[in-house]
Amino acid sequence: VEKARFNSRAMIPIVTAIVAAVFIGVGLKDFGFWEGQPTAAFFPIIIAVVLLATSLLCLVQVLRGKEDAPIYNRNEFMVILGGGGIIIGCYVIGLILSCLLYLFLWLKFVEHAAWKAIIVIEVFMAALILGVFVFWMQVQFPWGLFELLM
């Protein structure tokens, strides 16, 4: 019997299982599940249970598989780095500005787009985000350290 190999394919199911377990724990501890009627955590707990089950099934499938570890290229790491940058940027400059900055950096340094295309795309995305999400739907995006100045 060949021993199961642990590689980076197992990281996503492990991380999603941890996230699901945290959602289940916090939901049950802080909000409860059912108190005469569904609580605020009712649907998040159900979704977290499904996520936990599918994560564990995926982990079993990955560990039973005989596929070699994946080989990553530079652009795949750039996406992960960009996602981390957006998360950190949310706390510093806010979500909207960090997403627009990520879009600018991606278009300029990865896609090597022309300045005209970058400006058109940035203006369109800023108008879309602000118009639809901020003004129309009134989504409260985090403003980062700018919130302290206001």
Side-chain angles (χ1 to χ4, degrees):
V1 175
E2 187 176 328
K3 184 178 180 183
R5 287 180 282 167
F6 181 84
N7 61 41
S8 61
R9 288 183 206 268
M11 290 306 297
I12 290 177
I14 290 172
V15 169
T16 55
I18 292 169
V19 168
V22 168
F23 266 81
I24 293 169
V26 170
L28 290 174
K29 179 180 167 278
D30 292 346
F31 299 101
F33 185 72
W34 190 279
E35 294 173 6
Q37 64 182 8
T39 64
F42 180 73
F43 285 112
I45 290 172
I46 291 173
I47 292 169
V49 168
V50 171
L51 178 63
L52 181 63
T54 55
S55 298
L56 294 176
L57 290 173
C58 185
L59 182 62
V60 168
Q61 182 181 14
V62 166
L63 293 177
R64 284 187 175 179
K66 300 195 184 344
E67 299 171 0
D68 292 333
I71 298 171
Y72 300 102
N73 63 35
R74 180 177 168 264
N75 284 345
E76 292 167 341
F77 285 116
M78 294 297 286
V79 172
I80 296 169
L81 183 64
I86 289 174
I87 293 170
I88 293 169
C90 282
Y91 295 104
V92 180
I93 60 174
L95 179 63
I96 295 173
L97 289 178
S98 64
C99 287
L100 291 174
L101 179 64
Y102 172 78
L103 179 62
F104 169 78
L105 293 173
W106 187 269
L107 289 172
K108 188 64 187 160
F109 297 111
V110 176
E111 297 294 327
H112 305 291
W115 280 107
K116 182 180 177 184
I118 293 173
I119 292 170
V120 168
I121 292 170
E122 286 285 330
V123 168
F124 176 77
M125 289 306 298
L128 182 73
I129 292 169
L130 293 173
V132 172
F133 293 105
V134 175
F135 297 123
W136 182 31
M137 298 176 71
Q138 298 180 352
V139 175
Q140 299 293 316
F141 289 110
W143 286 99
L145 296 178
F146 291 135
E147 214 165 17
L148 300 175
L149 299 174
M150 295 181 181

